[in-house]
Amino acid sequence: MDIATTADLVRNAYATTRKNLDIVRGRLNRPLSLAEKIFFGHLVDAENQVLERGKATLALAPDRVAMQDATAQMAILQFMMAGRDETAVPTTVHCDHLLLAYQGAEKDKAAALTMNREVYEFLASASARYGMGFWKPGSGIIHQVVLENYAFPGGLMIGTDSHTPNAGGLGMAACGVGGADAVDVMVGMPWEVLDPQITGVYLTGAPSGWTSPKDVILKLCGLLTTKGGTNHVIEYFGPGCEAISCTGKATITNMGAELGATTSIFPGDGRMLDYLRATRRGDLADLAAENLDLLQADAEVLASPEPYFDRVVTIDLSTLEPHLVGPHSPDVAHPVGRMREDCETEGYPVELSAALIGSCTNSSYEDISRAADVAQQALDAGLEMKAPLLVSPGSDQIYETIKRDGQLAVLEKLGATVLTNACGPCIGQWRRDDIKEGDVNSIVTSFNRNFRKRADGNPETHAFIGSPEIVMAYGLSGSLAFNPLADTVTAKDGREVRLAAPEPAADLPPDGFVFSEAGLQLPPDDRSQLQVAVEPGSVRLALLEPFAAWQSTDFTGLDLLVKVQGKCTTDHISMAGPWLKFRGHLDGISDNMLIGGINAFNGEAGQTRNPLDGEQGRNPDVARALKAAGRHWIIVGDENYGEGSSREHAAMSPRHLGCAAVIVRSFARIHETNLKKQGVMPLVFADPSDYDLIQETDTFDLVGVDALAPGSEIEMVIRHAGGGEDRARLRHTLTDEQIAWFRAGSALNLIRERV
């Protein structure tokens, strides 16, 4: 399988889109938004597909798949069970998650190559065997590398990382999925997704001064919250779009994941074409220019958007103030001019212990240039960083270019520790010697996610997110009470220095990018004799065994493993950080299942009552005990259960340990799908207040499972230990195909039968 995005691939994608849209326009007889053009343009059956926003399930044919090393392990292990000789669509694997940030790029990469040797050998050998492109450790973060090499306007891509929508900055509908969804596409089956509703974001004006593209999405997170985009596409439009560079657009679409959105996308424009040409894809730019009508909403939609979007939000870039968001959630938004007041009101620790710039969200040439502008001002004025500065370049291409053009030297002169071209602290791969667990402190980052324990494993680290230049300013001041728009920084000699807003930076280097493909391994032409490397007895990797099929009866006598209260992200359900090393070993990583979830009955994280003896124990230990006793169990959760990362381990571990159903007030999109894929029933209380009926010692029957059908309801009989019972109605969104997954035991079991 050719893994490159070639002119022929793009030409065929545009031709298929036109053909499908001719059919869809005849059926709908109305103008189309950009999101509709791309989604409907990739329909498997445009003639017969039911089209109903928020209700119908679309069967789509993505153009490509991308996977990062932490999630690729389980996805490839599942793909190997399917029995195919190669992937059905172009697919790449990117080693960016397993590199621990500690001493700097060179030492950290060397340590990772030793520590993760068998995982890297597995991924490299599987990529070679099955025809996938393999990007070696240190070559770059998946989303930056995809933007530089594979994304194209009007395309459809899925990726096993929630920030896959980064490619929306280049006009691609790119969606984060679990590994099982990726396997569907890799074996040649459609990708199924709920026909999304569409939020239109109308941009006017142009950013200036300290305001950056990052502030658009930080503002929007505050407006819509982390569940406000669930099952929505965020479609940007309006004259303000062309005021934002291609990589600036990618920053915005990247963090659409924080809204829970299916994806986010910008319309095709000259900034995208310029970026394609600057990254050696002039032929794709020419094709996009010839097909601009496919890459923008219809004129009628732009002229009168309200009838065509489910909601419209307007943001004036000219008046938008720089923001910080946090702590502990990306939707707690603060204009920087309000930070001092908010710190006093909320009791945030104001002294900063670290400032971190880069990541997949903000490591473009433009981002680093604006941060370097602030750094140069500091050097000229004799200022020093009052908090340690860490820099994560996004790719070899960015690193080599900022090294040549001098931005890297400026940051290093100010004392920056330059980390490997990898995710590092952004996904919990950060070893800190300056604090211990429980130390209350604050950090500022240009990352995308800031849940408790996310960056460093410490629940008392208060992480605030801003643009790279804002992070630089706060790091120089050392205090969250600082306002970069109005306040001064005290130099060593006592002088008060006001930092100027960085000058507008070039998004494309005047001398072009320094291209580097040293980290890319292409698959050989002859792969017939290749073997995939999995060491016997490994604690890092284990081949999968199929899950058992459903027994064709209702569930009776189910135990309660835990009732979780409040925010429960996939970080709570299956933590990253030190647990990343077990991402290819299902039984091993299941030892972290729900160790971050807060028990509604005792307020403790990761602890629950064991129904077998009434004693308290760790959630995974109690689950193992119930499994050993032959008993199935349920999880009860709160609102937006499973928000955050796309990691399917948060669904596979419960399934592996005996979970029959997860019953919540509401789900995040990707996690709900992941549960379906693994044969766990995702159910929602028809009356959210029925969550309050659940008591710690209850047992449960689920009635109606044997008659499961699209739109049916399940009745839950809640049997209380002291006698008596309650009943609750439960809803689901399972389609006929997804019900078949459940009955087979998992989607993969069904795929194996078909392939």
Side-chain angles (χ1 to χ4, degrees):
M1 169 59 64
D2 180 4
I3 55 90
T5 299
T6 63
D8 283 344
L9 186 156
V10 175
R11 190 177 293 108
N12 290 337
Y14 290 158
T16 300
T17 295
R18 286 196 182 280
K19 179 181 177 182
N20 279 351
L21 292 185
D22 284 344
I23 297 170
V24 169
R25 287 185 187 279
R27 293 177 57 191
L28 298 181
N29 194 31
R30 63 167 174 80
L32 300 175
S33 71
L34 171 60
E36 289 176 315
K37 288 184 180 183
I38 299 179
F39 276 71
F40 296 164
H42 286 79
L43 289 170
V44 172
D45 183 1
E47 292 275 7
N48 300 301
Q49 171 70 60
V50 176
L51 305 175
E52 189 175 5
R53 283 189 199 173
K55 295 183 179 180
T57 297
L58 304 180
L60 305 174
D63 299 303
R64 59 181 312 115
V65 173
M67 299 184 287
Q68 41 93 335
D69 50 353
T71 52
Q73 296 172 61
M74 198 58 70
I76 290 173
L77 288 167
Q78 293 177 85
F79 176 79
M80 290 169 61
M81 294 178 68
R84 273 192 67 105
D85 189 57
E86 67 175 10
T87 60
V89 301
T91 302
T92 51
V93 175
H94 305 259
C95 294
D96 62 0
H97 271 56
L98 299 181
L99 290 100
L100 183 68
Y102 181 41
Q103 295 178 303
E106 187 174 340
K107 291 181 179 180
D108 291 348
K109 180 178 175 181
L113 289 172
T114 299
M115 181 181 297
N116 304 310
R117 175 192 55 79
E118 64 177 299
V119 173
Y120 293 146
E121 288 180 356
F122 165 70
L123 295 173
S125 62
S127 296
R129 171 64 185 84
Y130 295 111
M132 298 180 281
F134 176 74
W135 288 84
K136 301 173 186 176
S139 56
I141 305 174
I142 175 174
H143 311 304
Q144 181 69 27
V145 174
V146 165
L147 196 74
E148 293 170 350
N149 295 276
Y150 301 116
F152 67 93
L156 176 65
M157 178 178 74
I158 60 172
T160 59
D161 189 280
S162 56
H163 293 105
T164 299
N166 188 82
L170 197 44
M172 189 174 211
C175 306
V177 299
D181 272 354
V183 171
D184 282 355
V185 177
M186 290 160 67
V187 301
M189 294 173 59
W191 173 52
E192 291 193 338
V193 66
L194 186 69
D195 187 355
Q197 295 180 290
I198 306 174
T199 294
V201 179
Y202 180 64
L203 299 181
T204 65
S208 62
W210 287 98
T211 300
S212 76
K214 184 68 165 273
D215 297 304
V216 175
I217 188 60
L218 300 185
K219 171 75 171 178
L220 198 61
C221 284
L223 292 174
L224 299 185
T225 79
T226 55
K227 63 181 181 180
T230 303
N231 294 319
H232 279 240
V233 170
I234 311 298
E235 180 174 327
Y236 294 87
F237 68 106
C241 292
E242 291 210 35
I244 302 173
S245 68
C246 177
T247 51
K249 292 177 172 75
T251 291
I252 295 168
T253 61
N254 175 296
M255 271 193 71
E258 274 43 76
L259 301 169
T262 302
T263 193
S264 301
I265 193 164
F266 274 86
D269 63 17
R271 305 295 290 269
M272 294 183 188
L273 303 186
D274 290 344
Y275 185 78
L276 284 171
R277 294 189 175 99
T279 50
R280 301 181 296 178
R281 291 173 287 173
D283 53 348
L284 305 191
D286 293 341
L287 283 169
E290 294 167 7
N291 291 275
L292 273 179
D293 61 306
L294 299 179
L295 311 179
Q296 300 171 346
D298 285 341
E300 297 91 335
V301 175
L302 300 178
S304 181
E306 284 77 10
Y308 304 103
F309 293 115
D310 295 282
R311 64 184 168 206
V312 176
V313 177
T314 298
I315 296 177
D316 182 354
L317 302 175
S318 301
T319 60
L320 180 62
E321 184 176 343
H323 278 60
L324 288 179
V325 298
H328 310 319
S329 187
D331 57 358
V332 183
H334 319 268
V336 295
R338 206 180 67 202
M339 273 306 298
R340 180 181 293 108
E341 177 186 344
D342 288 354
C343 287
E344 292 173 356
T345 302
E346 301 297 333
Y348 303 144
V350 296
E351 183 178 353
L352 291 168
S353 63
L356 305 97
I357 65 173
S359 84
C360 67
T361 321
N362 278 110
S363 58
S364 68
Y365 185 83
E366 180 181 23
D367 288 329
I368 302 299
S369 295
R370 283 173 66 87
D373 180 304
V374 179
Q376 186 63 59
Q377 290 184 53
L379 292 171
D380 293 343
L383 300 177
E384 293 181 341
M385 295 295 296
K386 293 187 176 66
L389 174 63
L390 288 80
V391 179
S392 300
S395 67
D396 269 348
Q397 180 171 303
I398 294 298
Y399 175 81
E400 294 296 340
T401 305
I402 63 174
K403 181 179 178 181
R404 180 200 66 192
D405 291 353
Q407 295 94 331
L408 190 65
V410 171
L411 294 168
E412 289 181 323
K413 190 174 181 180
L414 194 62
T417 298
V418 179
L419 304 173
T420 317
N421 306 321
C423 301
C426 187
I427 49 89
Q429 287 286 69
W430 184 19
R431 177 177 169 182
R432 298 186 72 179
D433 292 334
D434 58 322
I435 66 163
K436 60 182 183 296
E437 185 169 353
D439 286 351
V440 178
N441 73 108
S442 290
I443 64 174
V444 284
T445 83
S446 68
F447 302 163
N448 47 37
R449 198 159 279 169
N450 60 348
F451 302 133
R452 282 188 187 272
K453 305 178 73 169
R454 172 81 179 186
D456 60 6
N458 177 23
E460 294 304 325
T461 293
H462 294 60
F464 295 84
I465 301 171
S467 68
E469 54 266 44
I470 288 292
V471 170
M472 285 294 305
Y474 275 97
L476 287 164
S477 76
S479 173
L480 282 174
F482 174 71
N483 178 1
L485 279 64
D487 296 343
T488 57
V489 181
T490 305
K492 286 186 296 182
D493 60 7
R495 289 180 302 113
E496 294 298 321
V497 178
R498 174 161 298 176
L499 297 169
E503 293 293 327
D507 52 313
L508 305 174
D511 295 326
F513 287 107
V514 178
F515 298 108
S516 176
E517 292 182 349
L520 174 60
Q521 169 193 291
L522 293 172
D525 293 332
D526 183 6
R527 307 188 305 276
S528 58
Q529 303 304 313
L530 297 181
Q531 299 295 316
V532 178
V534 178
E535 296 181 7
S538 170
V539 298
R540 299 290 301 272
L541 295 160
L543 298 177
L544 295 173
E545 294 291 334
F547 289 132
W550 174 59
Q551 296 302 303
S552 302
T553 60
D554 286 340
F555 289 112
T556 58
L558 294 170
D559 292 302
L560 175 68
L561 179 70
V562 63
K563 178 181 176 180
V564 178
Q565 72 176 12
K567 184 183 286 286
C568 190
T569 72
T570 49
D571 278 24
H572 294 87
I573 305 168
S574 182
M575 288 185 179
W579 291 95
L580 284 171
K581 59 179 172 285
F582 299 116
R583 285 287 182 88
H585 197 293
L586 179 56
D587 192 61
I589 201 167
S590 294
D591 280 333
N592 81 353
M593 187 196 69
L594 269 169
I595 61 175
I598 303 300
N599 189 314
F601 300 112
N602 61 27
E604 295 185 19
Q607 297 288 316
T608 195
R609 174 185 175 274
N610 187 334
L612 299 175
D613 58 16
E615 298 296 320
Q616 291 290 308
R618 295 173 69 250
N619 287 331
D621 297 338
V622 173
R624 288 187 187 278
L626 291 172
K627 180 180 180 180
R631 294 166 67 162
H632 286 90
W633 45 267
I634 65 170
I635 297 167
V636 174
D638 214 323
E639 296 279 359
N640 207 31
Y641 183 86
E643 69 175 273
S645 170
S646 67
R647 66 193 66 155
E648 64 183 340
H649 303 76
M652 294 187 79
S653 289
R655 177 70 165 101
H656 174 65
L657 296 182
C659 182
V662 178
I663 304 166
V664 301
R665 283 173 161 155
S666 65
F667 280 107
R669 175 188 65 87
I670 298 177
H671 186 62
E672 181 181 18
T673 299
N674 286 344
L675 290 169
K676 293 176 181 179
K677 288 283 185 180
Q678 303 304 332
V680 178
M681 294 190 70
L683 302 171
V684 175
F685 290 107
D687 180 352
S689 67
D690 285 345
Y691 168 91
D692 298 322
L693 297 175
I694 309 302
Q695 300 175 21
E696 190 172 26
T697 54
D698 290 343
T699 59
F700 310 88
D701 298 342
L702 297 181
V703 180
V705 179
D706 58 347
L708 195 62
S712 68
E713 288 192 347
I714 302 295
E715 183 180 46
M716 179 167 66
V717 182
I718 308 166
R719 304 189 188 280
H720 303 304
E725 65 181 42
D726 284 299
R727 293 177 181 256
R729 293 183 300 113
L730 307 176
R731 293 173 178 159
H732 66 85
T733 60
L734 292 157
T735 65
D736 283 325
E737 175 72 6
Q738 292 163 352
I739 291 169
W741 301 343
F742 168 73
R743 289 173 173 157
S746 71
L748 183 58
N749 287 352
L750 207 58
I751 289 173
R752 292 172 66 232
E753 293 176 11
R754 294 172 176 174
V755 171

